[in-house]
Amino acid sequence: MKPLRWLWIPIVLLVIVLAGGWWLSQRHSPATASQEDPAIAAMLKDPGVIAKGRYLATAGDCGSCHTARAGHAYAGGRMLPTPFGNIPAPNITPDTQTGIGNWNFNDFWRALHDGIGRSGEPLYPAFSYTSFTNVTRDDAIAIFAYLRSLPPVHEANAALELRFPYNVRSTLAAWRAVYFKAGVYQPNASQSASWNRGAYLVQGLGHCNECHAARGAWGGLEARATLSGGQIPEQDWYAPDLSTKTNGGLQGWGRQDIIDVLKKGQSLKSAAVGPMADVVASSTQYLRDDDLQAIADYLLSLPARATPAPMPASFDSQSLIDRGNAVYTERCANCHGKDGAGVPGVYPPLDGNASVVEPTGINATRVVLLGGFPPVTVCNPRPYSMPPYAQQLSDADVAAVVTYIRHAWSNHASAVQERDVATYRHTPID
């Protein structure tokens, strides 16, 4: 009869999770119709605080998630895809019925810093409170002031599209215990003010680690994987490792390369494509020069990475390379050059390009299929784009040319197989 004891373990765990969720909601239950602190209320009307909040909301790229395509700014409605189902971004305009018009600052702070909703419910981490918890209280007040200054939009929030049991919020108690620890960013006294500002932006408002790190089976970020690169769930793009040191994803990049990509969308090393192009277009191009310098200072300090494991020779990639060479000569060489060096400021290089040599081959494959469209920025208002080849090239041709590019010149990345191309060809763009 002893083996029957094991049957109780899942039941006990479920009870613990449900009890933890109930305790969490009770612990954080807000006071109903609470009044705003008079000092904070005055700050929320200060034009200087509101202007600061607008800048910080732009730095955090809040509008991208909280604005549906062709929708009103910050009125929500955009579905955020996850491996567990879709989560709608809520309306955060000051509408009293469908937005945050009845919130006070403490409600907002609890959501941003603790990941707890106004009614005491744990928020799903599609809202990146795992990063936003680093934001200081003063900056949070400024962001809230800006959001309260927006025109109210009456736009009801869509329903969750999560599968069971992920749609049971109380299960988040266990997730939070493993993956979340609240805490405002603490400056490193051994580093410069610029480095600390960069670390604050990257780790906090910029929430860079939410894309540029691998996630586990439950969608949590591993602490040891900070900014070391990862596949963006449900989007089939790879956010590269951000270390510029040996074996880093940006190995060989200098300060100006980082600044140029964030401000212009393109540098001598690479161009922003896919989700990063959207981030540049809506957020980083508007950052002050000193903040861009600070981000570069921080990224340049990231450590070297371990030597990657040898790539397994699971199939004959040489035949792909030979076929890809022919496709490249016909379709690509006129712009990117026979040597893969591109044309500075016009066509990005392919030799050593972080998006080309990232571990999976996803980015190069999707650019060949969908085209390459660097963001339109103030500094680069008419960027050159690459046409899509999904209609001209077969899966075999795409696999061949991407494999060739990832092996040519100084590149030594793994081959891409035809079945992978077939998968990425049918992945939704948004």
Side-chain angles (χ1 to χ4, degrees):
M1 297 295 291
K2 288 184 178 180
L4 293 178
R5 296 177 183 176
W6 294 102
L7 297 177
W8 288 97
I9 294 178
I11 298 173
V12 171
L13 290 175
L14 180 61
V15 170
I16 291 172
V17 166
L18 293 174
W22 177 86
W23 173 83
L24 194 63
S25 65
Q26 295 302 309
R27 177 174 177 261
H28 290 282
S29 292
T32 303
S34 57
Q35 297 297 311
E36 189 68 83
D37 178 270
I40 293 178
M43 295 176 69
L44 297 180
K45 298 177 181 178
D46 186 324
V49 174
I50 293 171
K52 176 184 177 183
R54 179 178 182 177
Y55 177 81
L56 293 172
T58 300
D61 203 14
C62 306
S64 287
C65 284
H66 289 277
T67 305
R69 290 191 180 276
H72 295 283
Y74 294 96
R78 180 173 181 176
M79 283 292 181
L80 307 178
T82 80
F84 317 107
N86 295 328
I87 299 176
N91 183 345
I92 55 173
T93 71
D95 182 70
T96 56
Q97 292 181 310
T98 63
I100 60 172
N102 289 325
W103 290 36
N104 63 25
F105 172 69
N106 284 334
D107 298 327
F108 182 73
W109 175 251
R110 204 163 27 236
L112 193 74
H113 182 72
D114 295 320
I116 299 296
R118 186 169 186 263
S119 299
E121 75 279 13
L123 299 178
Y124 287 100
F127 173 57
S128 303
Y129 60 82
T130 45
S131 293
F132 297 148
T133 188
N134 286 286
V135 175
T136 65
R137 193 173 178 87
D138 283 348
D139 281 354
I141 290 173
I143 295 170
F144 187 57
Y146 170 64
L147 295 177
R148 291 295 298 266
S149 76
L150 296 172
V153 178
H154 188 82
E155 187 73 42
N157 293 310
L160 284 170
E161 296 180 358
L162 293 175
R163 299 183 300 277
F164 180 82
Y166 311 110
N167 59 352
V168 180
R169 284 187 183 267
S170 58
T171 60
L172 284 170
W175 189 95
R176 290 167 61 94
V178 176
Y179 294 112
F180 176 60
K181 182 179 180 180
V184 171
Y185 174 79
Q186 299 300 313
N188 185 334
S190 67
Q191 298 287 352
S192 68
S194 178
W195 184 96
N196 275 292
R197 175 65 174 176
Y200 173 70
L201 290 171
V202 169
Q203 295 176 19
L205 280 175
H207 58 289
C208 306
N209 204 48
E210 303 293 332
C211 287
H212 290 271
R215 293 180 178 270
W218 299 106
L221 295 165
E222 302 295 336
R224 61 183 181 181
T226 301
L227 302 176
S228 61
Q231 186 169 336
I232 303 174
E234 300 302 298
Q235 294 190 38
D236 280 340
W237 287 96
Y238 190 90
D241 178 291
L242 295 182
S243 170
T244 62
K245 302 289 199 317
T246 303
N247 297 319
L250 306 184
Q251 181 176 343
W253 284 45
R255 177 176 283 100
Q256 197 59 47
D257 297 316
I258 296 171
I259 293 171
D260 284 346
V261 163
L262 295 177
K263 192 173 186 67
K264 303 176 183 178
Q266 188 167 338
S267 75
L268 295 178
K269 296 288 188 181
S270 187
V273 294
M276 191 62 203
D278 295 336
V279 172
V280 172
S282 58
S283 176
T284 61
Q285 69 160 316
Y286 301 110
L287 296 183
R288 298 189 305 262
D289 288 345
D290 61 321
D291 277 345
L292 293 173
Q293 291 274 1
I295 291 171
D297 285 345
Y298 174 66
L299 294 183
L300 287 168
S301 75
L302 294 178
R305 308 303 192 190
T307 302
M311 294 176 294
S314 56
F315 65 102
D316 180 15
S317 60
Q318 188 58 49
S319 61
L320 277 178
I321 293 172
D322 293 340
R323 181 175 181 175
N325 189 0
V327 176
Y328 181 86
T329 300
E330 178 185 357
R331 303 278 186 171
C332 316
N334 283 343
C335 294
H336 294 287
K338 293 182 179 180
D339 58 358
V343 178
V346 182
Y347 304 118
L350 301 180
D351 185 15
N353 187 310
S355 286
V356 170
V357 298
E358 50 83 11
T360 65
I362 290 174
N363 292 354
T365 300
R366 298 206 73 194
V367 167
V368 171
L369 290 170
L370 304 175
F373 301 97
V376 174
T377 62
V378 174
C379 295
N380 190 16
R382 300 184 67 182
Y384 288 86
S385 300
M386 172 182 157
Y389 285 100
Q391 300 301 318
Q392 288 80 22
L393 298 178
S394 67
D395 291 347
D397 284 336
V398 174
V401 73
V402 172
T403 296
Y404 169 74
I405 292 168
R406 285 166 58 82
H407 276 69
W409 316 299
S410 67
N411 297 339
H412 300 289
S414 60
V416 171
Q417 299 195 51
E418 186 176 340
R419 64 171 179 264
D420 297 325
V421 177
T423 297
Y424 306 143
R425 184 186 289 274
H426 299 294
T427 300
I429 295 176
D430 185 13

